[in-house]
Amino acid sequence: MSTLTAATDQPSENDLPLGTTPLYARMHKWLKRALFVCLFGLVIEGSFTMPALAVWYGWPTLSFTEICSELMKVRYSDDTLACKFPYDMPGPPFGTAPEAAGQHTAKDKWGVQPVPQYPRLGFRELVRIHDERLARQAAEQQAAQRP
Amino acid sequence: MNLPTLGLRRGNSTGKTAKLVPGASESLTYDEHHEESRQAQREADRWLVTGTLLMGTMFIGFVGLPFFLRGVWLQRKAQKAGLSVRPIIVTLIGYLVILDAALNSLGWSLDLLANHTLLNRTIITAWGNMFDAGYFWHYNELGIGGAGAPGEKSWEVALILTVFTMRIAAGIGFLQMKRWGHQWLIITCWFGVVIWIGYTFNMTMYADVRYAGVVFPVVGWWLYDIFYITPFLAIPYLHSVNREIFSD
């Protein structure tokens, strides 16, 4: 009798999708739900990645080239660096030297497991860094022009 | 065993089932049924392929999602009408592993081959600064450009050229309900386990390079990357499905 009850609890083969046996019906149902979550996750995340990053790092106040330059300055702790655009063709990896070849300004604690020393960047902090540098440069220029 | 299997028709609300059962007086012939099922699957696949191609671009993925969902809906409708189409979960797994491999290949190909484009230098390094400084630290300093984190380039080359290409091919075979597609998807999805263990362990070994000075370290990386576990979700299905539905 108990066998009969157990058998009727499970969906019959005819109610199930092709290839799904009653034993694995519940697992397949939950896998399908998780797959839908992954699908939506990948699509939403993929779509929002570029706009979200652009806004976080200063667009539209800063152009992409300016963001690229500001990131370079932070990365290599060198305010004189700028993102070269358009880049010479054929550029790396097709033969010529890469953009940061031979740089020696980046700050790291070197060892078998190096530790970078650049600061963590907050929301739109590149805009502030960019504006402060421009103000500093303008002030320096004015000071130099004064008799 | 071929996919269109008259004996496995499902019940439906349109009342078509009775006349589709073999032996019923108004039954379709096997060929008619086969042709009708093939057309329904083809129509659904047209939407599914378009949707996946658009979603595979990553940046305009939201445009592809409605196309894909319409494809799933068409296939579900055909299934309910009693036609012999692919099970929905096979469709989901097949297209999602292709999408997963395509998205991974897209980002890594940019870093490998287009590392000096403005888009890459801005968006990929910004992403690196936010989630994984392997894509920020000493970027574009290696002779071949791109990510300079220890081991990263080896993973890119190895996985783009082996697992992801193999997985896309396997996904296509799987969607065609071929036995080799099922078998190769098992192989490439288990490869996924090797990828995740090897890749995350490599990151952990160089955790300072990857996460020092990063906006959303470790937990941020996991939240961002967790949606790439599709191949893991496929493994239990691939091992528990009745493999007779995949034909030679």
Side-chain angles (χ1 to χ4, degrees), chain B residues 24-174:
Chain B
S25 55
E26 293 177 66
S27 68
L28 291 172
T29 65
Y30 177 87
D31 286 341
E32 284 168 342
H33 167 79
H34 179 80
E35 184 55 26
E36 212 177 301
S37 301
R38 200 183 62 83
Q39 277 177 4
Q41 186 62 68
R42 209 180 164 77
E43 174 67 9
D45 274 332
R46 225 172 272 148
W47 289 87
L48 291 163
V49 168
T50 308
T52 308
L53 283 174
L54 287 166
M55 291 190 294
T57 61
M58 183 180 270
F59 301 124
I60 54 164
F62 63 95
V63 181
L65 190 60
F67 285 84
F68 188 85
L69 292 177
R70 177 168 165 78
V72 173
W73 178 75
L74 281 174
Q75 200 180 308
R76 197 178 144 84
K77 206 172 88 170
Q79 194 175 309
K80 288 206 163 181
L83 295 174
S84 302
V85 288
R86 219 170 31 222
I88 299 282
I89 193 168
V90 172
T91 294
L92 272 177
I93 289 176
Y95 281 104
L96 260 159
V97 293
I98 291 174
L99 181 66
D100 169 277
L103 290 175
N104 269 303
S105 302
L106 179 72
W108 275 352
S109 300
L110 272 173
D111 182 76
L112 194 61
L113 300 169
N115 46 47
H116 277 66
T117 57
L118 180 64
L119 191 68
N120 186 74
R121 280 181 298 170
T122 307
I123 294 301
I124 296 278
T125 58
W127 185 85
N129 187 269
M130 187 167 273
F131 297 110
D132 171 10
Y135 291 86
F136 184 73
W137 182 78
H138 289 263
Y139 200 81
N140 273 341
E141 201 174 325
L142 275 184
I144 56 167
E152 194 64 14
K153 275 284 180 285
S154 320
W155 282 105
E156 290 178 5
V157 174
L159 303 188
I160 294 173
L161 297 184
T162 58
V163 189
F164 295 139
T165 35
M166 278 158 64
R167 190 181 282 164
I168 290 173
I172 294 169
F174 183 70

Side-chain angles (χ1 to χ4, degrees), chain A residues 106-147:
Chain A
K107 289 179 183 156
D108 291 279
K109 240 188 251 165
W110 284 107
V112 70
Q113 288 163 314
V115 186
Q117 300 293 298
Y118 39 66
R120 178 174 282 127
L121 294 172
F123 181 65
R124 295 182 78 77
E125 202 174 332
L126 286 184
V127 178
R128 183 180 62 76
I129 294 172
H130 175 81
D131 290 348
E132 281 177 3
R133 193 185 50 260
L134 289 189
R136 204 169 49 242
Q137 283 170 350
E140 282 168 7
Q141 221 170 10
Q142 271 185 346
Q145 281 169 357
R146 257 184 234 136

Side-chain angles (χ1 to χ4, degrees), chain A residues 12-22, chain B residues 1-12 16-18 20-22 30 33 37 78-87 177 237 241-247:
Chain A
S12 78
E13 186 98 24
N14 284 341
D15 299 329
L16 297 171
L18 194 65
T20 296
T21 53
Chain B
M1 178 173 161
N2 289 321
L3 166 64
T5 313
L6 279 168
L8 290 169
R9 283 181 175 285
R10 304 282 165 258
N12 62 77
K16 260 183 161 181
T17 314
L20 291 172
V21 170
Y30 177 87
H33 167 79
S37 301
Q79 194 175 309
K80 288 206 163 181
L83 295 174
S84 302
V85 288
R86 219 170 31 222
M177 305 287 286
Y237 179 77
V241 66
N242 175 7
R243 66 198 64 186
E244 291 299 316
I245 67 172
F246 298 97
S247 63

